[in-house]
Amino acid sequence: MVKKLYKHQRLMLSYSFTEQHPALFVEMRLGKTLVSLRRMKAYSPRNPGSGGRKVLVVLPQSAFQGWITDGAEEGWGAVELVGNRKQKQKALILGLEMKSKVGVLFLLNKEGWQALPEITEIPWDVVVADESHFLKNPTAKVTKFYCKNFRSIPHRWILTGTPCPEGEHEYFSQLCF
């Protein structure tokens, strides 16, 4: 059974169809994840024969379960890129081989790129920065990495309930992504 969207979610979804790289700065617990998953289903995969869309979601570990649960309800497969480098590499390879009618979500915490820099070489269909305020500091290594390495990705999303807790200048790097 497909969850019905609330009015505010339908408005977010409608907005997301007007943008190639949507930004949802919406309070927590209002359904940004579900809206994102629904919209991403409409994207054409870069490699149609690869088993669906490949989506990298960079997020806090505490949000993994929400993406896994909502994703499963929407028909997505999910791969957690956790553990040491070898474990992350193995999960990445297995996930890339996974077949799903809708696609596969690869969940990585914001520091995960340090153990898995090869994520930049994968032709992702979408890269999502959930709780995107981790990109607020333009001089931070994490911000430089994500802003520099995913420019060719057809769809980049930023999601957060607190985009600039310390001032408007914190929007800049998030929007650069």
Side-chain angles (χ1 to χ4, degrees), residues 13-129:
L13 185 61
S14 178
Y15 153 77
S16 73
F17 274 92
T18 68
E19 299 295 327
Q20 186 170 349
H21 309 294
L24 298 180
F25 295 150
V26 180
E27 290 296 325
M28 291 174 58
R29 307 285 175 244
L30 290 180
K32 297 181 291 287
T33 302
L34 182 58
V35 169
S36 303
L37 291 166
R38 292 258 174 101
R39 174 60 180 110
M40 290 187 290
K41 280 183 178 180
Y43 292 145
S44 297
R46 289 171 102 174
N47 185 357
S50 69
R53 294 151 201 82
K54 304 292 185 226
V55 178
L56 176 64
V57 185
V58 183
L59 69 166
Q61 191 110 20
S62 61
F64 277 35
Q65 193 56 51
W67 278 87
I68 292 168
T69 302
D70 286 351
E73 290 174 2
E74 294 293 316
W76 292 86
V79 175
E80 296 180 64
L81 301 175
V82 295
N84 61 34
R85 175 170 169 70
K86 198 171 192 172
Q87 291 167 321
K88 286 178 181 158
Q89 285 178 315
K90 183 177 180 180
L92 179 64
I93 291 165
L94 290 173
L96 291 171
E97 294 170 354
M98 185 185 271
K99 301 289 183 196
S100 170
K101 186 175 182 181
V102 175
V104 180
L105 304 169
F106 292 80
L107 308 175
L108 180 71
N109 70 3
K110 67 180 182 181
E111 296 88 9
W113 64 274
Q114 294 170 323
L116 206 60
E118 56 268 32
I119 59 171
T120 62
E121 299 166 17
I122 294 166
W124 302 107
D125 297 298
V126 185
V127 176
V128 179

